[in-house]
Amino acid sequence: MAAFSRGRQGIKSLCWFRTLISTRNFSAGKFDYDLVVIGGGSGGLACSKEAAQLGQRVAVLDYVEPSLKGTKWGLGGTCVNVGCIPKKLMHQAALLGTAVKDARKYGWQIPESLSHDWSTMAEAVQNHVKSLNWGHRVQLQDKKVKYLNMKGNLVDKHTIRAVNAKGKEMTVTAKNIVLATGGRPKYPTHVPGAMEFGITSDDVFWLKESPKKTLVVGASYVALECAGFLTGIGLDTTVMVRSIALRGFDQQMSGLVTDYMEAYGTKFSWKCTPKSIEKLPSGILRVTWMNLNTKEEHQDTFNSVLWAVGRASETKTLNLDKVGVEINIETGKIIVAADEATSVPNIFAIGDIAEGRPELTPTAIKAGKLLARRLVGHSTELMNYDNVATTVFTPLEYGCVGLSEEEAERRHGKDQIEVKYSIFAMVQFTVAWKRATRIIVVCLREGDQRVLGMHFTGPSAGEVTQGFSLGFQCGLTYEHLRNTVGIHPTCAEELIKLNITKRSGLDATVTGC
Ligand code: FAD
Ligand code: NDP
């Protein structure tokens, strides 16, 4: 049953009450809604729209707590506002800059000094994102999902307290509740000045002015992608890596990605960790860091420090313990079963807040849709989280599906796997510059040589990897690859032409067609 906070009176609360009445009229029965989703990001929107299309009475709550720097955005969650979309567009801005420079070699008459205007790019990207926010609102309306721009937490297993930006409260009840509140960037709170002077991926895409000379701390997806596009648009960019780059990815490929970035102009401070940030009277940030090998301290000044040290799940304010929803204390993530159910049977969790799930938009979307179908009794299909393909959108893009060579060795033993690879020049760039890249296919050594992992670096790696991941889902073997005829001249064809094994020690450089 819906309840209304009586704390504030007056005309505004009367309007609010009318809204509430209309919300209640919209629904009938034991609960206000069949389903309430907390979090209108990739997973939450997909789940709520699917459930509504299947006839459920659905509400979705989405509320963005501004970043420490005060950055705010609209409906759609991380991917749309401060993730995949603005990132891919800024990556594209950087690729275009490289293409313009290359174009000289192909006869285009381009002035020697090329410059990039941050404000123009940022405004275009931000306008696009705002159009997506609007599109999401319209879709919810069209599909008859009640959108509440409110922050939600659990009162009991069927009741949610919702609070809007002005502090007005209401409660809504639902038969089923889906938690899809995602995550937010972490700050290294032990580093003095980190929170005061640093920014995160929640801010960088919404800056009106260029971040100029930037230190990016961290060495995974977010750090390398941001450092890649910042370098690509001409900014002096340094990545500070405390251990290795792209942990969990094939380390040969990771090395290629960072080598390429170094050649592209990104600076790397390897095995270093920041100690403090101070703001000088000029407004410049002075960063002190330590080299973990030599224990020596170093200093330099930057205009911006971008923390890309991982993300914390948004579970703290949901009141989970009160209702009995179990979390993993270490990760803060919600423990879920294969059907996305939490320890409370009518409460489910999808996307980045769910323990052990890939933190990727397509998995959140698919999990949300399948969950909606199961809740309605339309299907029993579970989400298959195995072998999800991914791509890191660094200057040299890296796409992969399945196991890394290191992981395949760990699981199957070095003697049981065969690693096939190829080193090739990317044909479309050969006139402007010649830089070799690499692909790796890891397969079982015996039988039909089932493919365990595919790793591709090169242009449009996401497009290439997406296609091959279909084969992977269908039980791809090395024999299938060998029996496929290539499309020439492409980079993707190298994947089906592979014939050199790492074990043979032969040179895998492709020298011609
Ligand atoms: P989110 O999309 O984070 O949505 C959660 C929503 O819930 C947010 O709007 C939040 O404000 C809201 N919320 C939180 N608490 C409450 C509450 N109590 N009440 C109401 N609302 C609340 N993935 C890819 O697949 N490809 C990429 O290229 C890619 N690039 C990325 C780049 C960056 C910089 C980042 C940070 C992430 C990227 N990701 C990418 C990951 C992807 O964005 C996430 O995996 C995805 O958005 C997770 O979806 P979700 O539904 O779990 O949560
Ligand atoms: P990750 O958790 O993947 O990586 C965190 C990085 O920060 C690691 O390199 C880690 O180093 C480093 N780090 C952690 N703490 C510190 C510290 N105190 N000082 C210095 N370095 C530190 O986080 P991301 O934010 O990069 O990515 C989060 C998720 O978002 C990814 O897992 C991915 O699923 C998703 N994403 C997907 C993208 C895509 O699909 N293209 C793009 C961007 C994000 P160490 O290895 O030493 O722990």
Side-chain angles (χ1 to χ4, degrees):
M1 177 168 144
F4 178 57
S5 159
R6 292 170 201 280
R8 294 168 197 233
Q9 298 298 322
I11 293 169
K12 275 186 187 160
S13 56
L14 190 65
C15 297
W16 186 250
F17 187 66
R18 284 198 186 117
T19 312
L20 180 66
I21 295 292
S22 68
T23 306
R24 296 213 49 204
N25 285 343
F26 169 73
S27 57
K30 193 174 168 200
F31 301 106
D32 297 325
Y33 295 98
D34 297 313
L35 172 67
V36 170
V37 178
I38 310 184
S42 308
L45 288 179
C47 183
S48 56
K49 286 187 290 187
E50 188 74 5
Q53 265 184 316
L54 294 171
Q56 296 266 292
R57 297 164 302 140
V58 186
V60 60
L61 279 71
D62 189 62
Y63 187 84
V64 180
E65 214 43 90
S67 76
L68 276 185
K69 289 277 160 285
T71 314
K72 303 190 266 199
W73 51 88
L75 179 63
T78 303
C79 179
V80 169
N81 295 284
V82 285
C84 333
I85 302 300
K87 178 277 305 289
K88 186 84 190 275
L89 293 174
M90 293 197 179
H91 173 60
Q92 176 65 8
L95 292 181
L96 285 172
T98 310
V100 172
K101 286 180 207 147
D102 289 357
R104 288 195 190 104
K105 289 269 186 188
Y106 289 89
W108 291 99
Q109 304 294 300
I110 290 162
E112 260 324 297
S113 69
L114 271 183
S115 64
H116 177 268
D117 179 50
W118 175 277
S119 318
T120 307
M121 172 186 73
E123 197 186 332
V125 170
Q126 290 159 16
N127 284 341
H128 178 68
V129 169
K130 285 176 192 161
S131 75
L132 297 178
N133 298 147
W134 177 246
H136 283 303
R137 285 182 85 127
V138 172
Q139 276 186 33
L140 290 179
Q141 212 171 1
D142 287 351
K143 297 200 158 75
K144 309 235 174 333
V145 176
K146 180 76 186 168
Y147 164 51
L148 298 167
N149 183 200
M150 304 181 89
K151 187 165 180 167
N153 64 53
L154 299 170
V155 176
D156 62 45
K157 64 182 186 172
H158 290 292
T159 311
I160 291 152
R161 180 186 299 108
V163 187
N164 77 0
K166 293 182 179 142
K168 296 278 172 66
E169 279 188 31
M170 68 186 278
T171 56
V172 285
T173 58
K175 180 171 173 234
N176 290 309
I177 296 172
V178 171
L179 306 172
T181 48
R184 295 295 287 265
K186 287 184 197 163
Y187 280 86
T189 45
H190 62 282
V191 177
M195 294 168 80
E196 216 175 333
F197 306 124
I199 59 169
T200 68
S201 56
D202 275 0
D203 306 298
V204 70
F205 306 110
W206 292 90
L207 295 175
K208 299 264 181 255
E209 305 291 332
S210 168
K212 298 185 185 155
K213 183 181 175 187
T214 305
L215 174 67
V216 180
V217 184
S220 192
Y221 278 94
V222 174
L224 296 189
E225 289 185 343
C226 290
F229 74 69
L230 292 174
T231 309
I233 59 167
L235 303 185
D236 182 336
T237 310
T238 303
V239 178
M240 189 166 285
V241 188
R242 72 170 176 188
S243 59
I244 57 168
L246 293 178
R247 183 179 298 286
F249 285 87
D250 190 287
Q251 283 302 298
Q252 269 188 72
M253 297 308 240
S254 161
L256 260 186
V257 167
T258 51
D259 285 355
Y260 187 100
M261 284 178 75
E262 274 185 310
Y264 190 69
T266 312
K267 298 169 194 161
F268 281 83
S269 293
W270 293 100
K271 303 276 185 280
C272 289
T273 184
K275 289 196 75 178
S276 65
I277 310 183
E278 307 151 76
K279 195 169 196 164
L280 302 178
S282 60
I284 300 277
L285 303 176
R286 182 164 60 201
V287 180
T288 306
W289 70 89
M290 188 172 77
N291 182 307
L292 293 164
N293 286 340
T294 62
K295 308 288 177 222
E296 280 169 7
E297 273 194 11
H298 301 270
Q299 279 189 341
D300 197 358
T301 53
F302 299 88
N303 297 95
S304 305
V305 175
L306 172 61
W307 300 110
V309 294
R311 295 174 63 77
S313 47
E314 279 283 282
T315 47
K316 285 194 195 74
T317 57
L318 289 173
N319 256 343
L320 298 177
D321 49 347
K322 195 171 165 198
V323 181
V325 174
E326 280 177 24
I327 61 165
N328 175 335
I329 303 288
E330 271 173 35
T331 60
K333 294 198 175 201
I334 299 174
I335 296 167
V336 282
D339 64 352
E340 329 295 352
T342 68
S343 46
V344 178
N346 71 306
I347 302 181
F348 301 81
I350 52 169
D352 285 7
I353 50 154
E355 177 75 12
R357 305 306 195 210
E359 293 183 15
L360 296 171
T361 277
T363 47
I365 292 177
K366 190 145 195 227
K369 283 190 181 167
L370 290 175
L371 172 59
R373 286 178 208 161
R374 291 195 304 273
L375 289 177
V376 179
H378 204 76
S379 147
T380 53
E381 188 186 347
L382 294 173
M383 173 70 191
N384 174 8
Y385 289 99
D386 289 340
N387 299 323
V388 172
T390 183
T391 290
V392 191
F393 295 97
T394 31
L396 175 67
E397 297 175 5
Y398 167 29
C400 61
V401 55
L403 305 182
S404 63
E405 183 182 340
E406 294 91 349
E407 187 57 24
E409 242 181 67
R410 200 181 64 74
R411 289 197 198 175
H412 297 274
K414 203 178 170 93
D415 291 339
Q416 302 307 313
I417 63 164
E418 198 73 276
V419 178
K420 309 208 186 237
Y421 73 116
S422 152
I423 299 166
F424 62 98
M426 295 173 276
V427 65
Q428 52 269 62
F429 303 126
T430 39
V431 168
W433 42 274
K434 215 169 191 142
R435 208 177 160 80
T437 189
R438 178 188 299 250
I439 49 181
I440 299 178
V441 167
V442 186
C443 48
L444 285 174
R445 207 169 166 197
E446 301 298 333
D448 58 2
Q449 297 198 290
R450 186 164 56 82
V451 176
L452 302 172
M454 299 185 88
H455 303 265
F456 176 92
T457 44
S460 305
E463 316 296 337
V464 172
T465 312
Q466 182 70 84
F468 279 98
S469 71
L470 172 66
F472 204 87
Q473 260 331 314
C474 299
L476 186 71
T477 64
Y478 176 60
E479 203 54 24
H480 290 137
L481 287 176
R482 257 178 23 96
N483 287 335
T484 307
V485 179
I487 300 169
H488 189 68
T490 62
C491 295
E493 72 175 317
E494 300 304 333
L495 271 164
I496 48 122
K497 282 165 46 188
L498 285 172
N499 61 359
I500 305 287
T501 63
K502 193 172 172 186
R503 196 182 304 278
S504 73
L506 294 172
D507 183 6
T509 309
V510 176
T511 48
C513 299

